């Protein structure tokens, strides 16, 4: 099996805690990697701000950012190809005790994350082992999921309105053709656009989206009781907070139903909701509170990892 060349959108940075507000050196040296997956239509300078926060303010020792391409978010086959390229490019975990945190932005980031999970599951069925992919020369590559941070999403299913808002915003807001407000209002204000979009979305759902969405959700539920932090806003115009909270409720339900990890599994799902804040702009709109939420989550994760190591000893 031939893989495409590693995608240029995977950028790495080993942190040196450049900011004067960085945490103490002993914390900066902790073995933590953060992988940030950008949203649909995201630009590198925007996604890079999240990696800078992890490095400069939270003392994380290694970060990577990746922006899934627009075709990879829309079409399963292209998403699978890009997931394989991502696996080729991302380095291996640095030892047994390294914590790998995935910072997933919006529905586009979640779609790519789910595509990675599906790829790993397919490789396990082919003999790659747990959490592994076997490359074309027989080497096993690992992905580790120590914790998840979900920003401005995800949802169980995109409504036509949400899909329109996300697509128009991702395609045109970053280019300066439409403001975010204009992009999100097209579905509500233009009858002709709503009629055309509804027909296209219905066709897309029947051809690709419905089956792919269900496969991704099932793969995510099977991930089990990984610590998760959901960051979202009641003011989000792209994915409503009600849809995000429905996803969170379903995740807690699935963990409780499976009984994986008992009560600790359900409590592993934590949330931070703001009453104001734009879609994938919570870091910009609430910088101090956003940083504090991540800092608390990371500290709890490190403490849990230390307890686990002590039990193993």
């Amino acid at each position: 099996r031939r893989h495409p060349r590693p995608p240029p959108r995977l950028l790495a940075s080993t942190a040196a805690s450049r900011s004067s507000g960085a945490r103490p050196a002993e914390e900066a040296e902790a073995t933590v990697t953060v992988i940030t997956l950008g949203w649909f239509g995201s630009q590198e300078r925007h996604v890079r701000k999240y990696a800078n926060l992890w490095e400069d303010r939270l003392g994380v020792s290694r970060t990577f950012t990746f922006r899934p391409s627009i075709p990879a978010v829309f079409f399963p086959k292209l998403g699978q190809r890009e997931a394989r390229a991502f696996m080729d490019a991302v380095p291996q975990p640095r030892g047994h005790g390294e914590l790998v945190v995935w910072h997933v932005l919006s529905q586009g980031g979640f779609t790519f994350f789910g595509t990675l999970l599906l790829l790993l599951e397919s490789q396990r069925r082919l003999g790659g082992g747990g959490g592994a992919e076997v490359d074309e020369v027989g080497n096993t590559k690992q992905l580790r999921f120590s914790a998840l941070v979900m920003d401005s999403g995800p949802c169980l299913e995109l409504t036509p309105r949400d899909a329109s808002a996300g697509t128009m915003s991702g395609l045109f807001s970053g280019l300066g053709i439409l403001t975010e407000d204009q992009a999100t209002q097209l579905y509500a204000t233009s009858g002709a656009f709503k009629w055309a979009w509804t027909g296209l979305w219905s066709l897309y759902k029947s051809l690709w989206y419905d089956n792919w969405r269900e496969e991704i959700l099932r793969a995510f539920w099977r991930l089990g009781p990984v610590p998760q932090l959901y960051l979202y806003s009641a003011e989000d115009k792209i994915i409503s907070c009600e849809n995000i909270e429905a996803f969170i409720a379903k995740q807690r339900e699935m963990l409780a139903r499976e009984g994986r990890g008992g009560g600790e599994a359900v409590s592993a799902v934590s949330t931070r909701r703001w009453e104001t804040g734009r879609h994938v702009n919570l870091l910009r709109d609430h910088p101090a509170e956003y940083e504090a939420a991540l800092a608390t989550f990371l500290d709890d994760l490190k403490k849990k990892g230390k307890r686990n190591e002590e039990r193993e000893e």
Side-chain angles (χ1 to χ4, degrees):
R1 174 168 56 87
R2 297 185 63 183
H3 290 192
R5 297 178 64 184
R9 291 178 303 281
L10 179 66
L11 299 181
S13 175
T14 50
S17 296
R18 296 181 296 270
S19 168
S20 59
R23 293 187 156 202
E26 61 269 19
E27 290 194 42
E29 293 170 1
T31 310
V32 178
T33 288
V34 176
I35 301 173
T36 302
L37 300 180
W39 60 93
F40 178 86
S42 57
Q43 299 180 38
E44 183 55 39
R45 69 178 186 275
H46 298 142
V47 179
R48 188 66 233 169
K49 292 178 182 178
Y50 296 89
N52 290 342
L53 172 63
W54 285 104
E55 294 174 2
D56 297 344
R57 304 293 301 180
L58 300 175
V60 167
S61 55
R62 186 169 67 163
T63 67
F64 297 90
T65 63
F66 182 78
R67 296 175 297 117
S69 70
I70 288 174
V73 174
F74 266 122
F75 302 107
K77 293 294 184 184
L78 297 179
Q80 292 165 11
R81 185 171 66 185
E82 198 155 292
R84 292 191 184 99
F86 176 92
M87 288 288 294
D88 283 343
V90 71
Q92 295 289 278
R94 298 168 298 176
H96 175 71
E98 181 180 34
L99 300 173
V100 180
V101 180
W102 294 74
H103 195 156
V104 182
L105 294 155
S106 191
Q107 196 72 19
F110 178 73
T111 297
F112 185 76
F113 181 75
T115 304
L116 282 171
L117 295 180
L118 291 172
L119 173 64
L120 292 172
E121 288 189 348
S122 70
Q123 294 298 331
R124 284 199 295 269
R125 288 193 293 270
L126 294 173
E133 191 209 22
V134 180
D135 67 19
E136 55 195 358
V137 294
N139 297 318
T140 300
K141 299 200 70 175
Q142 299 282 341
L143 285 184
R144 184 172 297 166
F145 307 101
S146 305
L148 308 175
V149 177
M150 301 292 192
D151 183 318
S152 302
C155 61
L156 293 170
E157 181 176 6
L158 287 171
T159 66
R161 190 215 71 86
D162 288 349
S164 166
T167 301
M168 294 301 105
S169 180
L171 288 175
F172 300 118
S173 292
L175 299 175
I177 298 173
L178 294 174
T179 66
E180 181 174 300
D181 285 341
Q182 289 172 332
T184 56
Q185 287 300 311
L186 271 175
Y187 187 83
T189 59
S190 172
F193 177 84
K194 181 177 181 179
W195 175 83
W197 178 265
T198 301
L200 287 172
W201 183 248
S202 177
L203 178 62
Y204 173 72
K205 275 170 56 69
S206 64
L207 291 176
W208 292 292
Y209 177 69
D210 282 341
N211 288 338
W212 194 19
R213 174 185 63 84
E214 291 175 4
E215 289 177 356
I216 285 173
L217 288 175
R218 285 195 294 266
F220 186 76
W221 307 143
R222 287 191 291 267
L223 192 59
V226 176
Q228 299 160 45
L229 172 62
Y230 292 82
L231 308 170
Y232 62 100
S233 164
E235 200 177 49
D236 196 318
K237 295 179 181 178
I238 305 294
I239 302 177
S240 70
C241 68
E242 292 82 6
N243 287 344
I244 296 173
E245 288 172 346
F247 182 97
I248 295 168
K250 183 66 174 180
Q251 170 68 334
R252 286 173 168 157
E253 175 192 332
M254 294 298 292
L255 289 172
R257 181 186 302 173
E258 294 293 327
R260 303 174 68 177
E264 183 181 351
V266 179
S267 65
V269 178
S270 56
T271 65
R272 177 61 167 95
R273 167 176 162 163
W274 285 270
E275 292 306 309
T276 61
R278 294 163 295 165
H279 188 75
V280 293
N281 266 278
L282 296 173
L283 173 57
R284 182 176 179 179
D285 293 339
H286 304 282
E289 294 174 356
Y290 195 100
E291 178 184 333
L294 293 186
T296 299
F297 184 68
L298 184 59
D299 287 344
D300 290 344
L301 185 64
K302 289 178 179 178
K303 291 175 183 176
K304 181 179 178 181
K306 187 175 181 179
R307 290 195 300 269
N308 290 339
E309 288 180 1
E310 291 173 351
R311 282 198 294 266
E312 291 176 1
E313 293 174 358

